[in-house]
Amino acid sequence: MSFGLLQSRPAPSLAATVCAILYILAFSPTTAAAESPTNIGSNDLDGYNLDLELGDTYEPSFAPFDSSYLGRRASVIGPLVNNMPAKSNLKPGEAACYQLKKGDVFTSSTSSGTKARDFDFDTAVAAINASSGADILGRDDNQSIPIFLSANTCLQPHRVPGDDKADIEPPQLTLLISNSSQLGCPDLSMQETPSIQKKAFDGGAVMFNMTFTDDLYISVQAPNVSSSYEGVYFFELASSTEAYYHRYVGKDGQLLWLDSDATSALLVSKNLTTDADKAHQIMEDGEVYQLYVDNELFPRLHGVRHSTCGLQTNAQIYATPNGTGNLNELVHMTMTTRGPGGFPKQQFFVTGLNDTTEYRGIIVKAPNATAGKRDGEGTVGGGGTVFASTTFNTVSGTSCRRQPRKKCEAPSTKMYSLLKNCDDCRRTYKKWLCTVVMPRCEDYTLDSPHSVVRNAGQPFPNGTRLPADALARYSAPAFNTSRNKFIDDEIAPGPYRELLPCDDLCYEVVQSCPSALKFACPLRNFREFNSSYGKRDPDNKEVTCNYPGEPRTRVSAAAGVVLNAAFLCGTVLLGMGFLY
């Protein structure tokens, strides 16, 4: 009986068939001598705090053939329960096998007894086909059952200290599925056929769906690794009739990098909704994402970036809404509606970072623990959804240190326009003031056509100065001071570059505020314009000027993302009473 997959598979080779017959007739698992199961406790896993219940592995011994010929065939160590992950550790070269019985899938034990579960096949197939990373299903008229299989690598062997020859990550695990009761548990020595499917893990995760009419035998096999690595693999495997228990979405990243200084970074999710009717409830529900941060100089997440439990086990910095993460105190997590449209999003302020370093941020959406759970079963999607990582950088030294944050309050004023009111004036003035008082700083050495040099004549924080030829190029007054005197007096950053504010921020204030304010902006043909303001890129392909909340992560216009418009805007104490 073949799987319900559209693509055809090559017939098994004669050699594979002979091996299978020899195994079935002479070396049945029921007569094979077994080694004692390997059971490794969490405190043996090289210092990792692995808060997971470990299972067993099984390695049979075959007298006439060693494992290099047949592979290390595993025996069934347990059944799979709907939406509940099976967990096990594997030494390199070992395999663990589980059985998924068709009868168990068709029936579900509930408090009211056992009853047949009704399937809307067309709905299930449509859901599978719409899932990211899934194979495409065809309709099977033999009452076949759709099933979602997923697995995550929680732990993997690590490089031996001082061994620079090894790759940064060991080889990945492999998922194997067989629907043949004669072949039983599949392993890597078997050829892929219509009865045996194989799929390698990617980034510590694998998703595979199918329709089936017979019992399934599902193996997870660890590869052999070189002496450059030591340690074990640990994984979770789950099956579901509704949706993937573990899920990775690689095509649609949800995390945006807003800005960073030498020791901190501000990140924000995309809008959680653009439906105004749902916005209030989403804000009340609170944070939905966990954040994981990896230092690219000393990476710990290579090989497990697509795995929820892999991130939890290996990440040096991660934060959860309930505060249970590792170094959770370094991440300040809030909900916000700042920005055009006022839609909900989740914001992450990450501190304690190293300067001049590239990081990766990864967010995981945790499941709703109260939804989709039946008696005797787990939670649908309980393994969480991992989204594609976002790269961000910190800058050097103390040149771009941020100032402390404040909030600003004041009474409202009378209407002065039929088109604009004080809320419009307050909003636009706040954006403009944030941008000019808290300039977006970049390293002096960055060769950027969209930034200007500031403070060229001042020493760097380490006491060094620019060479004479550079000082000659930047002799104009605009290049020798900061935009605001308090930056030179209180921060004394030395030479740096400033990404200039977008000119439309200034024009919006003129349009929105009372004329009595006498607010004026330089026009683009003025001499002072090029050292005061910049112009937006009309194609949105690069950041050419500073706008509050403008992410350095570029987002295509087709994505329809409404950007956060208030990075650090709440930090400046405004001195104009009529606004606040």
Side-chain angles (χ1 to χ4, degrees), residues 79-270:
L80 289 178
V81 179
N82 199 40
N83 295 312
M84 290 188 68
K87 307 175 184 181
S88 186
N89 56 275
L90 295 174
K91 293 179 181 178
E94 286 186 337
C97 182
Y98 300 85
Q99 187 175 16
L100 185 62
K101 296 183 178 181
K102 180 182 179 182
D104 293 343
V105 175
F106 255 125
T107 58
S108 175
S109 297
T110 64
S111 58
S112 59
T114 302
K115 64 178 182 178
R117 182 178 299 165
D118 295 326
F119 282 97
D120 182 341
F121 188 88
D122 291 325
T123 300
V125 169
I128 293 175
N129 289 340
S131 299
S132 174
D135 295 312
I136 304 300
L137 280 174
R139 177 63 183 260
D140 191 328
D141 294 326
N142 295 324
Q143 297 298 317
S144 55
I145 304 169
I147 199 75
F148 299 83
L149 294 173
S150 62
N152 275 188
T153 303
C154 307
L155 192 70
Q156 60 187 356
H158 54 277
R159 287 198 298 177
V160 175
D163 191 340
D164 297 329
K165 296 180 181 179
D167 292 332
I168 202 166
E169 62 184 79
Q172 296 276 318
L173 297 169
T174 301
L175 179 72
L176 304 102
I177 308 101
S178 168
N179 65 349
S180 171
S181 59
Q182 291 182 327
L183 294 177
C185 296
D187 63 28
L188 288 175
S189 67
M190 296 180 177
Q191 182 178 353
E192 191 168 6
T193 70
S195 295
I196 298 176
Q197 304 290 331
K198 302 178 183 180
K199 189 167 186 179
F201 285 50
D202 178 19
V206 67
M207 296 186 296
F208 191 85
N209 64 71
M210 67 197 75
T211 58
F212 74 107
T213 57
D214 297 314
D215 293 353
L216 294 179
Y217 297 87
I218 303 162
S219 296
V220 175
Q221 182 153 358
N224 290 309
V225 299
S226 70
S227 59
S228 299
Y229 300 94
E230 59 185 18
V232 299
Y233 290 89
F234 186 85
F235 70 89
E236 290 183 355
L237 170 67
S239 66
S240 175
T241 58
E242 293 86 4
Y244 289 111
Y245 184 85
H246 313 89
R247 190 163 180 255
Y248 170 68
V249 180
K251 297 180 181 179
D252 186 22
Q254 294 295 306
L255 185 65
L256 302 176
W257 171 33
L258 287 183
D259 207 355
S260 56
D261 57 21
T263 60
S264 60
L266 185 66
L267 307 164
V268 68
S269 72
K270 291 183 180 179

Side-chain angles (χ1 to χ4, degrees), residues 402-422:
R402 304 297 179 204
Q403 286 293 293
R405 302 183 173 198
K406 301 178 184 293
K407 294 293 183 177
C408 311
E409 299 291 340
S412 61
T413 62
K414 297 180 179 180
M415 293 288 291
Y416 60 87
S417 169
L418 296 177
L419 298 177
K420 301 287 185 177
N421 56 35
C422 286

